[in-house]
């Protein structure tokens, strides 16, 4: 298989899975020569990306995310779409890839040619993991996948990161336990564009309806993330494949409403710009932290700042001076 | 009056109001010579800062923030404290200082020698406004003010910024209209350590109690910001000065609980460290934006990124290269 950017790009545009997998591996690599190749590839493929609906999915532990994604995924394939399932899991560096690492979790879906499942890249920072997933999303789109699901494990700020790279954010909950939002972190509920109470089957069906009412009430107390969109709360059973088609219809309706209002294009433009600036800020800060002079200063400055003997502003100024060590700051 | 850092610092530590005002003006100035003096001053005074309880206050428009701060302020003074009231209003650059600019809003409080009221600094970015308010807080503490209230106008992310610089966040609401949290932005409710339903007087008293119940219910659906602390929801009437003493008691109890658990010290250490790194990241990005080579690139890169013809990662890499224009990146 080709290993130069041009041939690889061509193979990806032709929809070759192995080329796509290799490209993702390049994007995820930290080797400088891989990065150069990855950049060349992204430069070629980005103009061909973007033609998908990007769906972020999060949920409480035990909400049945994998089962839901499998059931929804099979339904989406049946509608004639090609589906990529990606993940953002900043804890995967420690846990060794806790979500989607085990393909058997979505056994049926992973056997389909029109589905592409990729575990979360490993990485020390959420920023690093997010960047690679964003880039992988572009590659998948260039390869012709027109539905992209980005799953998040729900650690730290990963939901916000996923909401910032997708068109729609779907929150998966369990029946019952509505009194404390089942351990959902602050702010997550407000990211949701669609709330699904899963496992609405058997004995839990009634509880699920009750929970849905609770969540509808809770959502009324919050501002919707999206203009022209009242966040629906529905029940479903991924196990019994009920409510899945309805959920997909809501996704399609959401996309239509936001496309017509121009909000989708606007959001994506904003996301792209933010991504550029976040990337710039992170790379810049990473370069600063890696600078030898700076690295020597950090422990002492942090200590002084915490002890209250040095104003943080001054500590920052010292870090900058050490990093830029030129006259740029006095311009 | 002295204009060198050493004398100014001495005068501030002696509690001279005019010296404090001048120091704040220095801190708020963008003139490089002022900044140098401000830094020298902060270096001297920071070790004397920190001995206050820092309270952030936000609320919906019309909730009666000024009236409440005046009533609470007078009560706080009666307890023998010295109170500084600051503000974070990133819109003040446009509006010309919309909050606290008009001292008559807190007429009675502003006449007291033991109270110090300062409007929001103007600034183009929230980061800039926040930094100056943080620095002003340190100056006020060094001048002996042992209670600092930071009011926020509630624009954009200003509440989060204020919560990040204070020990406790107080949210002021109105009776009624609980169904949509009265226009409170997503996430604000979750920042609250204390919720007060103001204007619980006259005909609104019963409605206020009803609203308080609604908010108690809503808060149950959210995770508390602070361990060991269940967010109280109370009614009050700043106009009739009812519920004010009770609110202050809650503030004192909060402080005690968090001091005993060690969480207050921990939070402040974390805040100081975050401040240092945020400051570093912002100054670094500001330096990049101001760089001539970079400034020439920005419009073209942003356009290409929004159009989808250039991956944001590559745009960021180009900005960094233009800024650092040396071999640092290839180290």
């Amino acid at each position: 298989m080709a290993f130069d950017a041009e041939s690889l790009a061509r193979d990806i545009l032709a929809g070759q899975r192995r080329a796509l997998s290799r490209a993702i591996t390049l994007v995820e690599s930290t080797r400088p020569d891989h990065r150069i190749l990855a950049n060349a590839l992204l430069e070629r493929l980005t103009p061909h990306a973007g033609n998908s609906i990007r769906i972020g999915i999060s949920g409480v532990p035990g909400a049945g995310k994998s089962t839901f994604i499998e059931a929804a995924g099979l339904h989406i394939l049946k509608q004639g779409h090609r589906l990529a399932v990606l993940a953002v899991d900043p804890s995967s560096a420690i846990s060794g890839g806790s979500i989607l690492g085990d393909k058997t979790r979505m056994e049926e879906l992973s056997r389909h040619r029109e589905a592409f499942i990729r575990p979360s890249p490993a990485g020390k920072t959420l920023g690093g993991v997010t960047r690679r997933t964003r880039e992988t999303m572009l590659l998948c789109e260039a390869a012709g996948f027109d539905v992209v699901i980005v799953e998040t494990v729900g650690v730290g700020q990963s939901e916000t990161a996923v909401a910032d790279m997708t068109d729609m954010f779907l929150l998966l909950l369990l029946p019952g336990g509505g009194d404390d939002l089942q351990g959902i972190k602050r702010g997550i509920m407000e990211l949701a564009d669609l709330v699904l109470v899963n496992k609405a089957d058997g004995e839990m069906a009634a509880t699920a309806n009750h929970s849905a009412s609770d969540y509808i009430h809770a959502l009324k107390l919050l501002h919707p993330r999206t203009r022209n969109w009242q966040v629906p709360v529905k029940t479903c059973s991924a196990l019994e494949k009920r409510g899945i088609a309805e959920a997909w219809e809501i996704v399609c309706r959401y996309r239509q409403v936001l496309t017509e209002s121009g909000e989708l294009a606007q959001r994506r433009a904003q996301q792209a710009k933010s991504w550029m600036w976040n990337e710039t800020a992170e790379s810049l800060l990473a370069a600063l932290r890696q600078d030898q002079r700076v690295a020597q200063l950090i422990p002492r400055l942090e200590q002084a700042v915490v002890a209250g003997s040095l104003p943080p502003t001054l500590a920052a100024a010292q870090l900058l001076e050490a990093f830029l060590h030129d006259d740029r700051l006095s311009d």
Side-chain angles (χ1 to χ4, degrees), chain A:
Chain A
M1 185 168 62
F3 214 79
D4 64 294
E6 205 180 319
S7 319
L8 203 48
R10 199 183 45 229
D11 290 349
I12 289 169
L13 289 172
Q16 290 190 17
R17 291 175 76 94
R18 277 186 59 214
L20 176 59
S21 291
R22 172 155 298 184
I24 295 173
T25 304
L26 280 176
V27 150
E28 290 179 355
S29 169
T30 51
R31 266 176 55 181
D33 57 327
H34 285 174
R35 190 67 238 170
I36 290 166
L37 199 51
N39 281 346
L41 201 55
L42 286 165
E43 200 166 3
R44 279 177 174 77
L45 293 177
T46 299
H48 302 278
N51 301 317
S52 82
I53 173 133
R54 303 166 176 173
I55 307 162
I57 294 188
S58 189
V60 294
K65 259 188 301 180
S66 319
T67 315
F68 174 81
I69 293 174
E70 175 146 87
L74 292 170
H75 179 78
I76 289 166
L77 294 186
K78 245 183 251 164
Q79 312 303 307
H81 295 287
R82 297 185 66 210
L83 169 71
V85 183
L86 314 177
V88 167
D89 177 7
S91 69
S92 62
I94 303 149
S95 66
S98 60
I99 57 171
L100 292 177
D102 183 5
K103 278 211 180 177
T104 58
R105 283 173 61 222
M106 295 177 197
E107 209 177 346
E108 208 181 331
L109 191 61
S110 64
R111 279 199 302 261
H112 277 263
R113 292 284 309 163
E114 306 305 313
F116 184 86
I117 302 178
R118 184 86 186 185
S120 173
K124 282 180 211 153
T125 65
L126 175 60
V129 172
T130 304
R131 172 202 304 158
R132 287 167 203 148
T133 302
R134 278 184 191 273
E135 290 179 343
T136 297
M137 182 161 72
L138 298 182
L139 295 174
C140 289
E141 289 174 346
F145 291 96
D146 63 341
V147 179
V148 180
I149 287 178
V150 185
E151 182 185 2
T152 167
V153 73
V155 164
Q157 302 250 295
S158 61
E159 283 99 344
T160 311
V162 167
D164 281 348
M165 70 170 86
T166 53
D167 304 321
M168 182 175 195
F169 194 77
L170 197 160
L171 184 61
L172 216 60
L173 299 174
L174 281 169
D179 264 5
D180 65 348
L181 267 193
Q182 307 172 353
I184 293 182
K185 286 192 314 299
R186 305 191 262 123
I188 302 311
M189 192 76 179
E190 292 105 330
L191 292 176
D193 296 303
L194 168 58
V195 174
L196 290 177
V197 182
N198 191 23
K199 304 199 175 175
D201 40 47
E203 288 176 0
M204 298 300 275
T207 314
N209 284 328
H210 186 74
S211 294
S213 304
D214 277 357
Y215 294 128
I216 288 169
H217 182 73
L219 279 163
K220 275 192 186 149
L221 290 159
L222 303 169
H223 263 207
R225 183 163 87 107
T226 306
R227 271 181 293 137
N228 313 316
W229 184 256
Q230 179 63 51
V231 180
V233 180
K234 302 286 176 190
T235 60
C236 71
S237 165
L239 196 69
E240 299 181 352
K241 308 206 172 178
R242 280 187 304 96
I244 303 299
E246 290 77 2
W248 177 245
E249 266 170 40
I250 292 173
V251 171
C252 295
R253 184 158 52 84
Y254 173 89
R255 194 200 196 180
Q256 197 190 340
V257 169
L258 266 77
T259 303
E260 281 169 5
S261 70
E263 205 171 346
L264 196 67
Q266 209 180 347
R267 180 176 292 185
R268 283 203 176 179
Q270 193 47 55
Q271 285 175 343
K273 239 194 261 185
S274 302
W275 180 10
M276 177 182 101
W277 283 110
N278 288 342
E279 185 74 28
T280 303
E282 273 200 38
S283 311
L284 205 49
L285 201 60
L288 175 136
R289 277 181 184 273
Q290 276 160 30
D291 184 275
Q292 239 180 339
R293 298 200 210 189
V294 172
Q296 284 174 349
L297 275 176
I298 291 174
R300 189 167 55 77
L301 291 181
E302 277 193 339
Q303 211 181 344
V305 159
V306 164
S309 60
L310 184 69
T313 325
L314 260 76
Q318 287 184 34
L319 289 176
L320 244 71
E321 209 181 303
F323 179 54
L324 299 175
H325 48 74
D326 61 18
D327 56 353
R328 202 181 327 239
L329 289 179
S330 54
D331 278 358

